[in-house]
Amino acid sequence: MARDCGQVAGELRRTFGWPAPFHDPGVGQFGLTNAVFAAGDTFVEVVAPARPGTTAGRYLERRGGDGGYMAIFQVKDLAAARRRVAGLGVRVVWTAELPDIAATHLHPGDVPGAIVSLDWADPEQSWRWAGPSWTGRVPDHAPGGVTGLTIEARDPAAAARRWAAVLGIPAPGRGPTTADGHTTVELPDSGQRLRFVPAGGGRGEGITEVTIAGLPATGGGGPWVIGGVRFAGEEG
């Protein structure tokens, strides 16, 4: 989430050599503008408020500036995922239903750290939210993609267990996995991971780092802080 979508999107393009992003007019219903970049077969999206009084604008005020806002996970069986989150007592704040893609945004008060969305696509490799070239098919794209997120939370261990329950994957143990309070959740089907760390700096909860395999960085070896988020490359 950024105050200036164009500025942050431009910095991502210059740093990583990404092609021009897709701008989805559909986010206008939320009072937003956006830019969606393909990173391998995953995506990095920048959103910004386009008018006063939006949830996005309030988030920026609360965080004191740009920062990581939402994590979108693709699931194979969205109906089962929706039943699972209902059974956990998680509130749903928005849904979308299209023949080839569907989404469920979860209430951040029930899933701490960021807004989590559970999405489904058909064909599985397509992703309408990334524009016409990804609608109903998968275009040629660079290798690699997002391999992990770091999420700051007031109680990292509890947040990790909650996200794991929402995603229907094995949860970490009851205590933090490291002495400094960090807890890691592995996504077994994708080889990706979620790292939960204590919230600091007075900014509250949010996504603070994205690791991406195959970053075609043009400005050195990184990591790079863009839009309030640390981007780090990763082999493999």
Side-chain angles (χ1 to χ4, degrees):
M1 177 68 68
R3 294 190 187 279
D4 187 329
C5 182
Q7 184 271 324
V8 173
E11 191 170 352
L12 287 168
R13 288 194 69 188
R14 290 189 298 273
T15 302
F16 303 132
W18 287 342
F22 171 66
H23 301 285
D24 183 1
V27 301
Q29 67 177 294
F30 303 111
L32 300 173
T33 59
N34 81 337
V36 183
F37 294 95
D41 62 353
T42 65
F43 304 92
V44 174
E45 179 179 6
V46 184
V47 295
R51 62 172 186 255
T54 62
T55 300
R58 290 189 290 273
Y59 173 84
L60 289 168
E61 292 298 327
R62 190 165 59 250
R63 287 282 287 171
D66 299 356
Y69 176 65
M70 175 180 279
I72 299 175
F73 298 90
Q74 183 175 354
V75 298
K76 293 182 178 180
D77 188 339
L78 186 56
R82 286 171 169 170
R83 289 193 297 271
R84 181 170 61 248
V85 298
L88 293 168
V90 174
R91 290 166 289 177
V92 171
V93 296
W94 181 79
T95 61
E97 302 287 346
L98 296 169
D100 63 325
I101 202 162
T104 302
H105 292 187
L106 306 181
H107 197 296
D110 298 335
V111 188
I115 293 179
V116 169
S117 181
L118 304 178
D119 291 29
W120 163 91
D122 182 32
E124 190 172 315
Q125 295 78 20
S126 67
W127 198 250
R128 173 187 286 268
W129 310 135
S133 64
W134 286 88
T135 301
R137 63 192 182 94
V138 55
D140 292 336
H141 59 276
V146 174
T147 59
L149 302 176
T150 298
I151 302 105
E152 287 194 355
R154 284 182 285 275
D155 184 338
R161 291 192 296 270
R162 188 63 160 174
W163 285 50
V166 162
L167 295 170
I169 59 178
R174 276 283 161 187
T177 57
T178 65
D180 54 7
H182 297 182
T183 304
T184 299
V185 173
E186 303 286 344
L187 278 64
D189 291 340
S190 64
Q192 296 163 310
R193 62 192 175 277
L194 307 170
R195 183 169 171 262
F196 295 84
V197 303
R203 298 192 67 199
E205 299 182 320
I207 297 168
T208 56
E209 182 177 82
V210 180
T211 56
I212 302 178
L215 277 181
T218 59
W224 309 263
V225 177
I226 302 172
V229 176
R230 175 184 165 107
F231 288 84
E234 186 169 72
E235 296 297 326

